Amino acid sequence: MPMVEVAILDAAVKYDKLYGYFAADRGVAVGSLAIVPFGPRDALRRAIVLRVSGGAGRTPARVKPISRAMAEEPVLSEEMAGLALWMKEAYITTYGDIIRTMVPTDVVKGEPASGGLVRFAELSEDAAKVAADIAGGSFGTLQQIRVLETLMERGGMPVTELCSAAGCGGSPIATLIRRGYVKVERKRRAQAGATGTRGGGPAGEADAGPAIPAVGAVGEAELTKGQRECINKVRAAMRSGAYGHGLIRGVTGSGKTEVYMAVIREALDAGRDAILLVPEISLTPQMTERFKARFGGTVAVFHSGLAPRERVAEWRRVRGGEARIAIGARSAVFAPVRDIGVIIIDEEHEHTYKSEKSPKYHAAEVARRRCAAHGAYLLTGSATPSVRSYHEAARDGGAGLFIMDERANRKPMPKVEIIDMREELKAGNRSVISGALAAGVRGALGMGRQAILLMNRRGHSTFVLCRDCGHIVRCGMCEIPMTYHSSGQRMVCHYCGNARVSPKACPSCGGGNVRFFGAGTQRVEEEALSLFPGAAVARMDADTTKGRGSHAGILGRFGSGGIDVLIGTQMVAKGHDFPNVTVVGIMAADASLGIQDYRATERTFQLIAQAAGRAGRAAEEGKVYVQAYDVDNYGILAAASHDYPSFYETELRVRERLGYPPFAELGEVTLSSHYDGVAGEAAVYLAGKVDELKGRRGLKATILGPSRSPMPKVGGEYIWRVVLKAADRPTLRELLGEAAALHEGSAYAGPKAKVGISVDINP
């Protein structure tokens, strides 16, 4: 009788391991969800099969049989099950967290993984009448027009695909249904056009796959020399059938997207599939629309804005072979594609590829593992690659390093002017917008052009202070300064969300001399409206983009010319291509230099270089204004001159001297408690035990701390940390794993003083 090893999906940490069960002719395979009897009382628990072990050395008296399968077929392939086993060890996390990250929640709960009904949308009116009504201005929103144009262009489609293609939620579709322009019916997936899947369609179509437009059919561009060289080298590597890895360092506007499309075309032509990762899918609608125009219905899109049922629908399309290209943010690296030919990571430097919650994985590491298992190619790209990635690509002779140092339209990079804000203050200008930037924006507007203003802090003022006693209003849950928001005159904690009305009098001394200091996007918007009367000004930050489709809505208005000046946080600097933008202003460009992170200068350089790249991407030359106080910082100077190599060489020397990645591996153990002393005691205990273990086993590592976290209290919990620095990853994992095990068996101040632990590799 075959025996399998399963992980209990909701097991406590100390029970989070593999358990043996007999399959007992239940047709259970690797990747299957199952119900198993667990514990001395045989409580029924949800589990997933991760390994078939054969049953050698076990007796039926000691091994229980699986009660039943939860679905007709496995939800994980053998490759993905192996990936889960690897992630458990690599990231010191739980099986439950891993599976919930890999598979949509509704599927993990046991919803059938195939078949079912979908809501299918079609036009109710003749296409000619719809087009005439659009031209006549009959529709109130751009999203309604996009829905109608998508249906006219592509015909009927499932509502989930329509929302993704039109960049909207359900509201504009509901409005069009009420007005009689669109109808929605429930249909079987096969009736809704989900036929022709590889391995599940009608007879004679099982291997056909979805229709893919022919080469040159939609929007293929003339390639530059750098693009052609990169594509040819990657194609040659892909055709070898062995794992390979390449990095494109291409200036902003160099046409990396065209390279990605050509590489994906190579994979599809070979009968293989592709995954494209972007930093934040909701911020890059242009990217997804370009891929859908080029590759048609074979594209599936994953992002956090999808409703659970929509996410399941896209997951099924990929898993069944109906969609062969999966595009999405970090978690799309787990898309259940059958035969990976290539994984592409765009803007690979972005910190959003690193998960901040368990499992604390990095998408690039997972992508590397998946590509190795499939004999696939991993291609990453950025105008500002991370120092670690670039060092790795250049270290081995640079065979996998591709340089694209000219823009696809052969236009020059924008000119950059650094504005010393100390001089602005001396001249009496207390505005967050310098005189030179204001003049530049006015000039652009006068010529019918657009501008982007970047302030990487939201809200109106960054802290509220009493000038009489010096008291700063802080969050009671997090003990950090609260940010003032002019809308509603509220103070908000941007870590826990705690909000309260701004005080008229000082909470400490009762004085009335309460003032607002620092600046955020709301204040920039306020000053822009005053400086540029008559201009259409809009703000794009976390406060204005809470609704579904809000990102796409704002960017759509900007792209169509409905907004003259777009103000926002870093989300306005990522991957956008607006030909009419000729001026970019970057305010408080040096603010990120003050954070407690060895990558502070790197992230400052990247933000400035990426934002600057939004200017002058078409015929008109661009101009960028960088406002800062620390105008001599090497990261700012290198970004202003578009000089990645000089930044990289300087930063690498600094890292080597201080012993930071890529010359070391870092790990962090954070301990949290409602009691500061208990969290501190736990940190001291763990640091001492890990130091003893290191000496006993002869492991080379450095222990930093214990110390309070840079954010010492968040959400009512006090946080301490222990940082480990080792020469290699195996040593780091061994020490971090032992630290987690030591914590699990310890009681620092009694059972009521619970201490939470979190382990992070290369945080």
Side-chain angles (χ1 to χ4, degrees), residues 35 46 75 91 96 166 223 254 282 308 311 348 398 421 425 439 464 466 485 514 642 736 746 756 763:
I35 300 295
R46 291 181 301 125
V75 298
Y91 299 112
L223 300 176
S254 60
S282 59
R311 187 171 185 83
E348 69 82 32
M421 295 304 288
L425 286 174
V464 181
C466 173
H485 287 244
V514 176
H642 310 291
L736 290 174
S746 301

Side-chain angles (χ1 to χ4, degrees), residues 151-189:
L151 290 175
M152 285 192 293
E153 177 185 345
R154 305 186 191 180
M157 63 177 63
V159 170
T160 55
E161 296 178 32
L162 179 59
C163 289
S164 178
C168 71
S171 179
I173 298 174
T175 301
L176 292 170
I177 292 172
R178 287 196 301 271
R179 295 185 60 185
Y181 284 93
V182 172
K183 63 180 179 180
V184 173
E185 299 175 335
R186 289 192 175 274
K187 295 185 178 182
R188 293 283 175 190
R189 293 194 64 80

Side-chain angles (χ1 to χ4, degrees), residues 44 121 130 166 173 193 197 200 285 304 364 442 486 531 559 572 587 644 662 710 762:
L44 296 180
V130 174
I173 298 174
T197 60
S304 58
R442 290 193 190 98
S486 56
L531 287 169
V572 303
M587 284 155 283
Y644 179 87
N762 282 326

